[in-house]
Amino acid sequence: QIKKNRHVKIKITNIVSENCSTVFQRNFFICDEGAKVELVEEYENKNNAINNVYNIINLDSDSDLSHNVIQDNNLNHDLILSTFTTCQKNAFYKQRVYNFSDGYVRNFHFSDLNQTKSEVDLQGFFFLRESNTSNNKTFVSHLAENCRSNQVYKGILNDKSKATYFSNTYVDSIA
């Protein structure tokens, strides 16, 4: 929990140390009113494993979270990353995902803009080669008026690599 009006930097390095294991990880970030957070999340696994990560981010009024995700896992390491963000009045969530992994990566990101003037900016960049695969989805729900969202994913695919990107924006009638 990041207390009211605090400014913090957080770096998380996700390393799975055992081969043939599956890790289920849940991270909770609660940003009180006016909190400012720079979050860097790194994945650099070189073993045969599965990493399933679910981030829950709650942004209170006037809070701001900048989230950079760097993915660079080897061919035998699968990464499943899901993020669910809720934004209250004047909250801003910015996410940048950089996927350099050789293995399978699934990025699913959900954002609810619950109160007026909340904003989310989801962008992803993937650089694939050989036969690796990346699946990317963004879901944004505008549940109040005067909210903004931006969703952009771009990739470079080489060899026999494959990627998908699906974007879904819901705008409630009240918005």
Side-chain angles (χ1 to χ4, degrees):
Q1 180 174 359
I2 295 85
K3 300 292 184 181
K4 182 177 181 177
N5 297 322
R6 296 285 313 265
H7 297 213
V8 298
K9 293 181 181 181
I10 302 170
K11 181 177 180 183
I12 300 173
T13 302
N14 294 281
I15 295 179
V16 178
S17 58
E18 294 183 29
N19 276 325
C20 300
S21 63
T22 301
V23 174
F24 293 94
Q25 177 180 329
R26 303 295 177 258
N27 300 316
F28 295 90
F29 301 92
I30 300 168
C31 298
D32 290 345
E33 183 180 348
K36 305 282 187 233
V37 179
E38 291 180 41
L39 172 61
V40 175
E41 195 173 3
E42 294 181 341
Y43 298 88
E44 296 182 20
N45 291 290
K46 305 302 178 202
N47 59 351
N48 181 4
I50 299 171
N51 198 2
N52 187 337
V53 180
Y54 191 76
N55 291 323
I56 299 169
I57 300 170
N58 295 320
L59 300 175
D60 203 348
S61 299
D62 299 309
S63 59
D64 185 321
L65 193 143
S66 177
H67 186 189
N68 288 300
V69 181
I70 302 157
Q71 302 166 330
D72 190 15
N73 295 308
N74 79 353
L75 180 62
N76 297 316
H77 191 94
D78 294 344
L79 172 61
I80 301 166
L81 175 63
S82 302
T83 303
F84 185 78
T85 305
T86 57
C87 297
Q88 304 307 327
K89 185 177 182 180
N90 295 320
F92 178 61
Y93 176 66
K94 178 176 87 172
Q95 181 188 65
R96 299 293 181 269
V97 177
Y98 304 95
N99 178 4
F100 304 99
S101 293
D102 290 330
Y104 173 76
V105 175
R106 189 197 88 175
N107 290 303
F108 284 12
H109 305 293
F110 305 83
S111 297
D112 285 348
L113 304 173
N114 288 343
Q115 294 181 346
T116 186
K117 296 185 180 178
S118 57
E119 184 175 351
V120 65
D121 184 5
L122 305 174
Q123 295 189 34
F125 309 94
F126 48 93
F127 309 90
L128 307 181
R129 61 189 178 97
E130 296 177 4
S131 61
N132 62 329
T133 303
S134 178
N135 293 320
N136 305 283
K137 293 185 181 183
T138 56
F139 301 88
V140 177
S141 295
H142 290 252
L143 304 173
E145 56 187 38
N146 295 325
C147 297
R148 296 180 60 173
S149 66
N150 183 44
Q151 302 161 71
V152 177
Y153 268 67
K154 296 186 180 236
I156 297 173
L157 284 74
N158 293 297
D159 306 317
K160 295 180 181 180
S161 61
K162 297 178 183 176
T164 61
Y165 173 59
F166 175 80
S167 172
N168 186 349
T169 304
Y170 169 76
V171 181
D172 191 83
S173 60
I174 196 170

